[in-house]
Amino acid sequence: MDTPRHSADDVQCVSALSSFSAHEWNALSGSQPFLQHGFLDAQEHSQSVAPESGWEPHHLALRDKGKLIGALPLYRKYHSYGEFVFDWGWADACQRAGIAYYPKLLSAVPFTPVTGPRLLGHQADALIEAGKREAERGQHVSWHVLFPARDELALWRAHDFMVREDCQFQWFDRDYGDFDGFLGALKSRRRKEIRRERRQVHEAGVTLRTLAGEDLDPDTLSQVYGCYTAAYAIRGQQPYLRPGFFRAIVKTQPDSIVVFAAFRDGHMVAAAICFRDDECLYGRHWGSLVDIPGLHFEACYYQGIAYCLDQGLGRFEPGTQGEHKISRGFEPVPVYSAHYIRHPGLRDAIADFLQRETPVIADYRERAAELLPYKERQA
């Protein structure tokens, strides 16, 4: 029997992921670890995502006879940190024009620039219209949807969202077989450079271990977190994620977290924190207590490539930005965001900006692809 068609009036706003059961949420969210109940709830339960940190949960839920049939992660956002789609220029323009840009509405996985569905389950039109109604009710100038799946873009456009393009660098397994097979696909110069970088790490007395599941006991996890916070301390910032987040993930999603940890003289000195599903490895956080040439590349890129080849994962997404990834075999791919702007003047200005920015980004991706280090250009 078909599910009856619902309207925005049937959608409810929910202030915490804990209001949903893990079973009902995960029935809609799919296999990607970042959209699962455990991941999003751990962010809120640990207070990494909370009004005090500028993230106020305001999720949308649609039920039919008590059954959750549609959901949309949504936050009131009081700044633009932790998003990886940069709208600081838009906010500055609003400030100069006397327009209150914050708080804004945001649909995303906090601190996670990974493409995935944002419209969970059914009745997408009702969810989007309910979100637009929340923007109007709260007098929010804008609603931003970050890293939506490509097959959602037409839906967002149909509801007056403007789509913005960007570029990430990702690695794909082209039937390399193993790491030596991957190196064999590279031009000689790059192959030698990667081997030199890896040798530097070994000669510095550093060994790498892959930690997952039961390996991440409380003491080990504390060491991993110490490395994670070091990356923020260098910049004089507080870390986005609190210790409780990682403790919760190890309990609720132990098969999803993978850490490439570097040790010297028996002590953990660096860690690359990743997540995985059955298809992809996602590099998320990096931190080091030491400055060792080549260690970042080894822990964040080469260990991940080797892991994918060993585990049969076809893709590795190491995170945003970083043109240095090109020379290490990471290919440019398009990623997207969608933006609903209620203020007419601001909407016109952003539409003009996107019209000029989009071909520049497309040209950048093409030029980046020409710099890939493979003997033959990757398809």
Side-chain angles (χ1 to χ4, degrees), residues 14 26 30 36 53 95 103 116 143 194 200 231 237 260 288 316 339 365:
V14 179
N26 290 343
Q36 292 184 3
S53 63
Q95 183 178 27
W143 175 18
I194 289 174
Q200 279 182 313
Q237 298 175 350
F260 303 118
S288 179
F316 177 21
H339 307 269
R365 288 198 304 268

Side-chain angles (χ1 to χ4, degrees), residues 88-104 139-142 341-350:
W88 298 104
W90 301 357
D92 290 342
C94 282
Q95 183 178 27
R96 291 194 299 270
I99 301 169
Y101 191 72
Y102 303 110
K104 60 183 180 179
Q139 294 297 299
H140 300 291
V141 166
S142 59
I341 311 297
R342 291 182 59 247
H343 189 283
L346 180 61
R347 179 179 177 84
D348 290 344
I350 291 177

Side-chain angles (χ1 to χ4, degrees), residues 325-358:
K325 296 170 185 170
I326 300 172
S327 64
R328 292 165 178 86
F330 291 83
E331 306 172 29
V333 298
V335 293
Y336 303 93
S337 55
H339 307 269
Y340 176 65
I341 311 297
R342 291 182 59 247
H343 189 283
L346 180 61
R347 179 179 177 84
D348 290 344
I350 291 177
D352 178 69
F353 170 80
L354 294 179
Q355 187 175 20
R356 290 181 284 109
E357 182 190 54
T358 299

Side-chain angles (χ1 to χ4, degrees), residues 32-34 113-114 168-173 210-212 255-260 272-284 298-319 330:
Q32 193 183 80
F34 311 111
V114 174
Q168 284 186 355
F169 299 98
Q170 302 177 10
W171 179 89
F172 298 88
D173 182 8
T210 300
L211 308 176
D255 295 332
S256 71
I257 185 169
V258 179
V259 178
F260 303 118
I273 303 170
C274 304
F275 289 81
R276 62 159 293 175
D277 53 30
D278 291 338
E279 299 177 355
C280 185
L281 178 70
Y282 307 91
R284 290 306 314 115
E298 175 65 30
C300 293
Y301 306 141
Y302 306 142
Q303 288 289 313
I305 291 172
Y307 180 88
C308 287
L309 290 165
D310 179 67
Q311 296 288 312
L313 304 181
R315 192 171 80 257
F316 177 21
E317 298 186 16
F330 291 83

Side-chain angles (χ1 to χ4, degrees), residues 2 20 83 115 162 229 234 252 276 278 330 370 372 378:
D2 293 337
F20 304 95
E83 298 179 14
T115 295
M162 296 180 288
T229 59
I234 291 173
T252 62
R276 62 159 293 175
D278 291 338
F330 291 83
E370 294 173 354
L372 285 167
Q378 301 296 286

